[in-house]
């Protein structure tokens, strides 16, 4: 067992990798980031401004793999003998091999579902093979956030059992795993949903589109919140429940929803402390201690942020949807059939924050609306009634202790944008998020604002007294996820 | 740049707070004139906000070369005085066949005549300037090291602050709705926030110029239409990897360079319109990726972070309409920059300020005569990029 292994791994899959020259044990199928974590390696890359970064919170993880720079360590699996080295964000591969461009694949379906969490799977389940469907999922598995849960879930019970049932898909469903949809483009007769899977460009032509694109974990602001050893809720759950690796020997849980983590940590027997008011993390190459607002010091080797989730608004605004603010987050404006516009539906935690089972019901609901549009019998009102039992969860908008932080050390965005930089611009009287973007680079990096725009809005709201609903939120532009230029460069 | 109340009156009112409107206001205020800018959103929010950074003197006619020579002098002067970045990292036009080389020899001769030090260089010299280039098909390049790039939003913001210091009023989130005209004379402008009394108006609204002309009741035909052009930015890479603006007409009329933040930015000729729509398209993403990776193969492995769109306010000969409209006293236009308005702005400001304050200018403003379209005297098409 490696330093942070929670489970015994299959010895027949054991391989050796080299990190900065040191041999380490790894297992076939593991992602680079997970294999390194299991060995206790947290610091993987260095930002443009020289900040040490890990793999489990915001910001990219470019590494040198077998001498090739700028490889995404989050998406690359280990291989026997693999040589890994750290690099800075700005390092890139100057000499590239020009392989043959792969021809574009094209598929026509009735319904394209983006996202394979409980909502997306609910849509497919409800349609039940009566229409041709495609489901597109960035992760390597079906089940979304439910898949990373280890403890019983309301409505579903054991998440593994529930997923067995949910992932039994009809034959006329095309499944695209490890695939990103780069946008939804209205072509009049149909919607074009281009997908990137590895280096392959796939064009999906669909009559209807469902955004079951989920929510993203909130990034909490405290000093050195970008440090190696800081985990987002989802990443901590994934390393434990999907990969059988602990975030650390002793961890601190921070944020408004610690219970989402503590039950899971209890299950694995990982020692933890809940700290409600983090101010700063410190350490040499990784987190070694957490200091709270009262000056208490906690010796830990990881910090897990469980501060709730908010709908990922990028797919919604790129597809032409409008937003409103309620219960602490921006959500899509929907018509009475759960559409942001004709032909484009939204379901799940992309709509509002609620239990997995409610998201699943919402997927069924949208599936029922679509069936009706195609002339099949369906009863959306049954799901509407059941959904009424689930009041969406309110997510607290923290009052930021802006004047108590050392704003220089608080990272609002993974691309070296500090809280101080944003706050200074706002204090100078500039309160339009479009201008703040241009002046600070907030929301202009790898995540396109997914993890930082909300906090930028909070700073503006707090400094100016303008309510969150009164702020003009910049819309997302394609590609919805970063893609390598060679992929769309191919010619038919 | 705080929002100000709309003043009751102003001698001169400029409609449009983009780079052109703001630099005109800056020049007039510096000369002691009373001037107000009315901008419907925020300063620099239109095409200026979406613009590609380039500043070049490599044009193909005498007027544009002279104007841009002057403009670069002003970019240099004001960037130093006001403390914004203008880097003279050059413009590099990659050439692939004899016809292109011949055409650029002619352009270079005109440029040299007016003191712009462009020269024809070898592919190897081009690769020394940008080591990432694929020069396997390049036979020569046109190179002027005094061209450059600046951040359009930062530059506009600096000119705006200085214009205010000189006494100009910049009024944001205020939209002009109509003109008050009596006996062929402008008396004021009606806005969504009240009326401003004014006698002299400059239409600096570029993509929206035809709407303002219609409000003013101008009968002379000045064809300016908004076209959708798009741009892309990659992940940031080591600074200084691509210093100049690199142009390739062969590969899709592509232009690309590196921003001060490190990302590779640029676009291609792919044009849609006329339209006021600004949604980026999938087709652009494919085009730009295909052409860019032909010019610099290393871009293949870089991540595309974002695409966006902005307007080229185009005229039939890709030259702006700059001048006084005689049928209405005193109405001026400076619009229709066809994709290269940012770079021209400081010189345009000088020309317009000269016209208003002196009735004449030393720069060849007649090339941009707003009446040329009606008279059927189109210019040779200005070298348009992207």
């Amino acid at each position: 067992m490696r330093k942070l292994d929670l489970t015994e791994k299959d010895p027949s899959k054991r391989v050796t990798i080299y990190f900065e020259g040191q041999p380490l044990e790894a297992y076939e199928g593991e992602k680079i980031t997970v294999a390194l974590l299991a060995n206790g390696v947290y610091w993987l890359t260095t930002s443009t401004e020289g900040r040490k970064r890990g793999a489990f919170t915001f910001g990219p993880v470019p590494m040198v793999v077998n001498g090739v720079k700028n490889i995404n360590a989050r998406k690359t699996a280990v291989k026997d003998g693999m040589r890994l080295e750290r690099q800075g964000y700005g390092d890139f591969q100057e000499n590239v091999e020009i392989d043959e461009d792969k021809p574009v694949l094209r598929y026509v379906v009735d319904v394209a579902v983006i996202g394979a969490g409980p909502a997306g799977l609910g849509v497919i389940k409800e349609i039940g093979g009566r229409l041709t469907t495609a489901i597109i999922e960035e992760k390597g598995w079906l089940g979304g956030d439910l898949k990373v849960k280890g403890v019983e879930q309301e409505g579903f019970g054991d998440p593994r059992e529930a997923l067995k049932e949910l992932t039994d898909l009809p034959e006329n469903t095309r499944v695209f795993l490890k695939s990103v949809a780069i946008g939804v483009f209205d072509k009049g007769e149909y919607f074009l949903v281009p997908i990137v899977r590895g280096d392959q460009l796939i064009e999906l032509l669909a009559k209807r589109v469902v955004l079951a694109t989920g929510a993203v974990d909130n990034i909490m602001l405290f000093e050195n919140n970008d440090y190696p050893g800081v985990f987002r809720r989802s990443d901590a759950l994934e390393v434990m429940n999907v990969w059988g690796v602990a975030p650390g020997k002793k961890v601190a849980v921070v944020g408004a929803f610690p219970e989402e983590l503590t039950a899971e940590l209890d299950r694995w027997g990982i020692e933890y402390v809940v700290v409600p008011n983090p101010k700063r993390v410190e350490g040499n190459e990784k987190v070694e201690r957490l200091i709270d607002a009262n000056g208490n010091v906690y010796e830990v080797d990881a910090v897990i942020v469980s501060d709730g989730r908010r709908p990922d608004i990028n797919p919604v605004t790129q597809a032409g949807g409008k937003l409103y603010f309620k219960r602490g987050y921006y959500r899509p404006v929907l018509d009475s059939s759960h559409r942001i516009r004709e032909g484009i539906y939204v379901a799940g935690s992309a709509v509002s924050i609620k239990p997995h089972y409610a998201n699943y019901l919402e997927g069924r609901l949208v599936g029922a609306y679509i069936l009706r549009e195609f002339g099949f019998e369906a009863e959306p009102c049954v799901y509407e009634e059941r959904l009424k039992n689930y009041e969406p969860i309110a997510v607290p908008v923290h009052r930021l202790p802006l004047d108590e932080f050392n704003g220089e050390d608080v990272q609002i965005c993974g691309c070296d944008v500090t809280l101080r930089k944003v706050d200074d611009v706002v204090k100078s009287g500039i309160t339009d998020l479009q201008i703040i973007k241009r002046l600070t680079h907030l929301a202009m990096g790898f995540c396109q604002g997914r993890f930082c725009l909300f906090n930028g809005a909070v700073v503006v709201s707090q400094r100016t007294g303008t309510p969150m609903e009164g702020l003009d939120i910049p819309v997302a532009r394609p590609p919805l996820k970063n893609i390598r230029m060679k992929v769309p460069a191919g010619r038919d | 740049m705080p929002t100000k109340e709309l003043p009751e009156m102003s001698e001169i009112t400029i409609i449009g707070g983009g780079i052109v409107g703001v630099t005109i206001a800056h020049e007039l205020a510096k000369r002691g004139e009373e001037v107000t800018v009315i901008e419907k959103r925020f300063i620099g929010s239109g095409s200026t906000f979406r613009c590609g950074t380039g500043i070049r003197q490599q044009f193909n006619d005498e007027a544009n070369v002279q104007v841009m020579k002057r403009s670069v002098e002003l970019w240099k002067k004001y960037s130093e005085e006001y403390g914004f970045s203008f880097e003279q990292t050059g413009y590099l036009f990659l050439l692939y066949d004899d016809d292109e080389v011949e055409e650029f020899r002619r352009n270079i001769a005109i440029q040299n005549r007016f003191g712009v030090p462009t020269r024809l260089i070898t592919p190897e010299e081009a690769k020394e300037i940008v080591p990432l280039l694929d020069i396997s098909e390049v036979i020569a390049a046109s190179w002027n090291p005094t061209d450059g790039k600046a951040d359009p939003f930062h530059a506009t913001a600096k000119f705006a602050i200085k214009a205010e210091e000189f006494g100009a009023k910049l009024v944001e989130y205020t939209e002009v709705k109509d003109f008050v005209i009596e006996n062929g004379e402008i008396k004021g402008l009606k806005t969504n926030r009240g009326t401003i009394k004014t006698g002299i108006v400059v239409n600096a609204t570029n993509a929206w110029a035809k709407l303002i002309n219609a409000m003013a009741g101008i009968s002379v035909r000045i064809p300016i239409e908004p076209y959708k052009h798009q741009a892309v930015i990659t992940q940031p890479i080591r600074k200084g990897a691509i210093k100049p603006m690199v142009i390739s007409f062969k590969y899709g009329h592509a232009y690309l360079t590196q921003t001060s933040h490190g990302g590779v930015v640029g676009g291609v000729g792919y044009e849609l319109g006329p339209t006021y729509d600004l949604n980026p398209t999938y087709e652009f993403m494919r085009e730009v990726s295909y052409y860019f990776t032909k010019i610099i193969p290393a871009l293949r492995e870089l991540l595309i972070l974002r695409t966006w769109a902005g307007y080229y306010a185009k005229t039939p000969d890709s030259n702006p309409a700059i001048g006084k409209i005689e049928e209405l006293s005193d109405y001026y236009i400076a619009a229709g920059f066809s994709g290269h308005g940012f770079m021209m702005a400081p010189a345009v400001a000088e020309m317009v300020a000269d016209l208003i304050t002196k009735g004449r200018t030393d720069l060849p403003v007649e090339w941009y005569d707003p009446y040329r379209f009606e008279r059927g005297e189109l210019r040779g098409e200005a070298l348009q990029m992207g």
Side-chain angles (χ1 to χ4, degrees):
Chain A
M1 299 263 280
R2 296 167 296 187
K3 205 169 169 185
L4 292 176
D5 269 329
L6 292 167
T7 55
E8 196 79 52
K9 306 294 184 292
D10 179 354
S12 71
K13 294 193 171 164
R14 189 179 161 156
V15 296
T16 302
I17 59 172
Y18 298 86
F19 176 70
E20 300 282 329
Q22 294 302 308
L24 298 172
E25 177 183 331
Y27 293 86
E28 262 172 51
E30 275 183 339
K31 295 193 289 189
I32 290 172
T33 51
V34 172
L36 291 174
L37 173 68
N39 286 285
V41 178
Y42 289 83
W43 169 34
L44 303 186
T45 182
T46 306
S47 81
T48 311
E49 300 291 322
R51 294 187 67 90
K52 294 179 177 119
R53 296 271 172 86
F56 304 108
T57 185
F58 56 20
V61 191
M63 289 186 81
V64 187
V65 178
N66 295 330
V68 179
K69 292 175 187 158
N70 194 27
I71 302 291
N72 184 347
R74 281 198 185 102
K75 290 195 171 176
T76 309
V78 294
K79 285 204 173 66
D80 194 29
M82 189 179 256
R83 287 172 293 115
L84 302 165
E85 292 159 80
R86 289 191 186 103
Q87 67 161 83
Y89 279 14
D91 294 336
F92 67 107
Q93 192 58 24
E94 303 203 10
N95 301 309
V96 297
E97 270 181 42
I98 303 193
D99 35 357
E100 277 290 293
D101 291 321
K102 294 174 186 164
V104 180
L105 299 177
R106 286 192 183 84
Y107 300 103
V108 179
V109 293
D110 293 319
V111 185
V113 179
I114 307 177
L121 294 173
V123 177
I124 303 287
K125 177 69 68 187
E126 181 67 19
I127 289 172
R130 282 174 280 182
L131 299 167
T132 58
T133 54
I135 189 158
I136 304 141
E137 171 57 47
E138 185 171 7
K139 300 276 189 188
W141 59 75
L142 299 171
D145 202 52
L146 181 60
K147 172 83 176 179
V148 302
K149 297 290 172 69
V151 298
E152 294 231 331
Q153 299 295 315
E154 191 275 333
F156 279 132
D158 178 2
R160 274 149 200 59
E161 291 301 315
L163 276 175
K164 253 185 230 160
E165 150 82 13
L166 284 182
T167 55
D168 180 21
L169 306 176
E171 269 178 26
N172 61 356
T173 299
R174 283 187 187 279
V175 178
F176 299 94
L177 290 177
K178 296 185 181 176
S179 303
V180 296
I182 62 181
V184 178
F185 300 91
D186 187 349
K187 294 289 167 193
E189 297 287 293
Y190 59 89
F191 293 99
L192 170 63
V193 182
I195 304 168
V196 175
R197 182 175 60 197
D199 292 342
Q200 176 71 55
L201 185 60
I202 302 162
E203 292 180 351
L204 209 55
L205 315 183
K207 298 193 185 87
R208 300 289 181 276
V209 175
V210 181
L211 304 178
T213 36
V216 290
D217 277 292
N218 297 332
I219 295 296
M220 215 177 165
L221 299 186
F222 50 86
E223 292 168 20
N224 298 329
N225 56 335
D226 60 330
Y227 222 53
V230 176
F231 285 72
R232 286 178 293 214
R233 181 206 62 108
S234 56
D235 291 84
L237 292 175
E238 182 186 327
V239 296
M240 290 189 289
N241 293 329
V242 177
W243 304 101
V245 176
K249 291 277 185 206
K250 183 179 178 189
V251 305
V253 182
V254 302
F257 297 89
E259 66 282 359
E260 291 190 22
L261 251 302
T262 50
E264 303 275 359
L265 292 165
D266 282 334
R267 193 168 82 90
W268 289 110
I270 298 170
E271 194 186 338
Y272 63 84
V273 53
V274 174
V275 181
N277 49 354
K279 180 168 188 295
R280 178 179 180 84
V281 300
E282 289 179 350
N284 185 18
E285 289 189 356
K286 61 173 282 291
V287 171
E288 289 169 22
R289 73 195 70 85
L290 172 70
I291 302 160
D292 74 10
N294 304 323
N296 298 313
V297 179
Y298 305 89
E299 302 290 333
V300 292
D301 48 15
V303 173
I304 303 173
V305 177
S306 185
D307 197 38
R309 308 164 79 209
R310 292 191 165 93
D312 179 1
I313 57 178
N314 283 11
V316 171
T317 59
Q318 187 279 326
K322 298 274 176 263
L323 304 173
Y324 71 109
F325 189 83
K326 196 174 182 186
R327 291 193 177 88
Y329 41 90
Y330 294 99
R331 359 180 353 183
V333 175
L334 301 178
D335 68 9
S336 58
S337 307
H338 258 64
R339 297 180 298 189
I340 52 170
R341 47 176 291 192
E342 204 164 314
I344 305 181
Y345 295 79
V346 192
S349 52
V351 173
S352 60
I353 304 304
K354 51 198 180 300
H356 293 305
Y357 192 69
N359 290 326
Y360 166 71
L361 290 176
E362 199 168 28
R364 300 284 306 235
L365 170 70
V366 160
Y369 283 130
I370 292 171
L371 282 175
R372 274 203 172 171
E373 268 204 86
F374 281 86
F376 292 96
E377 296 239 339
E379 304 223 20
C381 55
V382 173
Y383 300 113
E384 268 171 16
E385 281 306 312
R386 291 173 69 188
L387 262 171
K388 281 183 187 155
N389 296 328
Y390 297 91
E391 182 83 356
I393 295 164
V395 179
V397 180
H398 299 295
R399 185 152 187 93
L400 302 171
L402 291 172
D403 300 314
E404 282 137 53
F405 280 142
N406 174 4
E408 207 51 33
D409 284 346
V410 181
Q411 303 294 305
I412 193 164
C413 161
C415 304
D416 287 314
V417 183
T418 63
L419 178 61
R420 169 156 306 156
K421 196 168 180 185
V422 173
D423 195 26
D424 282 351
V425 168
V426 176
K427 282 195 288 191
S428 80
I430 291 165
T431 57
D432 190 313
L433 281 161
Q434 293 283 7
I435 309 178
I436 295 167
K437 260 180 80 170
R438 278 294 190 288
L439 295 181
T440 66
H441 231 75
L442 178 82
M444 290 177 80
F446 293 86
C447 80
Q448 215 184 96
R450 217 171 247 110
F451 296 108
C452 56
L453 197 52
F454 189 87
N455 283 329
V458 173
V459 176
V460 172
S461 174
Q462 197 171 312
R463 284 285 184 208
T464 63
T466 312
M468 293 291 279
E469 48 269 42
L471 300 178
D472 182 17
I473 302 297
V475 305
R477 298 303 190 190
L480 285 171
K481 297 281 166 85
N482 310 154
I483 55 168
R484 292 199 189 261
M485 199 176 258
K486 69 179 174 189
V487 181
R491 281 269 156 119
D492 293 295
Chain B
M1 289 171 281
T3 309
K4 285 214 180 60
E5 288 307 305
L6 188 70
E8 226 168 85
M9 69 156 301
S10 177
E11 292 280 331
I12 307 168
T13 306
I14 296 163
I15 309 173
I19 183 70
V20 171
V22 167
T23 49
I24 293 172
H26 166 264
E27 188 62 35
L28 286 166
K30 208 176 160 204
R31 295 180 188 195
E33 300 294 326
E34 189 195 7
V35 58
T36 301
V37 174
I38 299 181
E39 164 55 48
K40 71 174 171 179
R41 287 190 69 211
F42 54 86
I43 294 297
S45 58
S47 305
T48 302
F49 204 62
R50 300 152 181 280
C51 156
T53 80
I55 295 169
R56 74 181 144 96
Q57 301 154 88
Q58 296 187 59
F59 277 81
N60 52 347
D61 60 80
E62 297 186 0
N64 277 305
V65 171
Q66 289 175 79
V67 167
M68 281 312 303
K69 173 107 184 350
R70 176 64 183 149
S71 203
V72 165
E73 287 167 15
L74 293 170
W75 278 114
K76 205 164 148 48
K77 171 181 151 73
Y78 287 125
S79 63
E80 285 164 9
E81 276 180 30
Y82 298 169
F84 62 84
S85 160
F86 165 55
E87 294 176 278
Q88 286 184 294
T89 43
Y91 254 67
L92 186 65
F93 287 76
L94 304 175
L95 310 175
Y96 302 83
D97 62 45
D98 293 341
D99 289 347
E100 256 192 324
V101 172
E102 206 37 55
E103 189 191 329
F104 273 81
R105 274 189 205 282
R106 282 195 299 273
N107 294 348
I108 290 170
I110 298 170
Q111 291 158 21
N112 290 167
R113 190 137 46 86
F114 293 98
V116 176
T118 314
R119 58 196 176 90
L120 207 61
I121 62 172
T122 65
E124 292 71 27
E125 286 175 292
K127 198 168 170 68
E128 262 173 50
I129 297 165
V130 183
L132 293 172
L133 282 182
D134 176 359
I135 53 163
S136 58
E137 296 174 80
V138 175
I139 64 166
S142 178
W143 167 244
N144 170 26
T146 67
D147 292 339
K149 57 193 178 188
D151 180 310
F153 191 67
H154 282 119
T156 307
K158 286 287 187 193
F159 277 115
I161 290 164
K162 289 293 167 180
E164 286 191 316
E165 281 178 22
F166 290 125
K169 294 191 175 68
L170 308 181
V171 189
E172 294 180 305
Y173 302 101
T174 303
E175 187 171 357
V176 171
K177 296 289 193 186
D178 206 356
F179 281 60
V180 184
I181 296 169
E182 286 170 18
N183 304 321
E185 281 186 20
I186 298 173
K187 297 293 180 189
L189 291 171
K190 287 182 190 167
T191 79
N192 61 337
R193 293 173 67 217
T195 299
I196 178 170
K197 287 181 197 161
T198 191
I200 303 171
V201 169
V202 182
N203 175 357
T205 59
N206 212 29
W208 295 273
K210 65 176 178 184
L211 308 179
I212 300 297
N213 284 347
M215 271 179 214
I218 298 298
S219 62
V220 55
R221 196 174 63 84
I222 306 173
I224 298 173
E225 293 293 342
Y227 284 83
K228 173 155 81 175
H229 274 250
Q230 300 178 60
V232 67
I233 189 145
T234 69
Q235 69 183 103
I237 55 172
R238 169 176 51 77
K239 287 181 188 166
I242 305 171
K243 286 181 182 143
M245 186 70 82
V246 178
I247 312 287
S248 169
F249 286 120
K250 176 188 165 84
Y251 286 118
H253 283 67
Y255 65 95
L256 64 87
T257 189
Q258 196 180 8
T259 68
S260 55
H261 198 79
V264 181
V265 70
V268 291
Y270 187 74
E271 180 173 88
L272 296 166
T275 177
Y276 279 113
D277 172 62
L278 284 181
N279 286 312
T281 64
Y282 171 67
E283 289 72 20
F284 167 76
M285 202 189 303
R286 295 207 63 193
E287 291 266 319
V288 76
S289 302
Y290 172 73
Y291 289 127
F292 275 24
T293 55
K294 288 280 181 198
I295 300 163
I296 296 184
L299 294 175
R300 291 175 65 81
E301 299 296 338
L302 291 193
L303 297 170
I304 299 176
L305 298 189
R306 202 170 63 256
T307 60
W308 70 92
Y311 304 122
Y312 276 22
K314 281 188 65 175
T315 64
D317 59 13
S318 294
N319 280 294
I322 305 171
K324 191 167 192 288
I325 305 297
E326 298 295 344
E327 64 185 281
L328 184 63
S329 77
D330 286 280
Y331 184 66
Y332 297 82
I333 185 166
F337 288 91
S338 306
H340 48 267
F342 170 64
M343 61 181 76
M344 291 181 84
V348 170
E350 205 166 72
M351 288 193 281
V352 173
D354 282 349
L355 291 180
I356 292 173
T357 60
K358 297 190 271 187
R360 54 170 298 281
T361 179
D362 292 337
L363 287 164
V365 72
E366 60 283 354
W367 183 256
Y368 313 107
D369 183 358
Y371 288 88
R372 70 182 186 277
F373 308 106
E374 194 136 294
R375 286 204 303 264
E377 292 170 12
L378 294 191
R379 310 307 185 202
E381 204 166 306
L383 211 54
Q384 180 193 300
M385 221 70 63

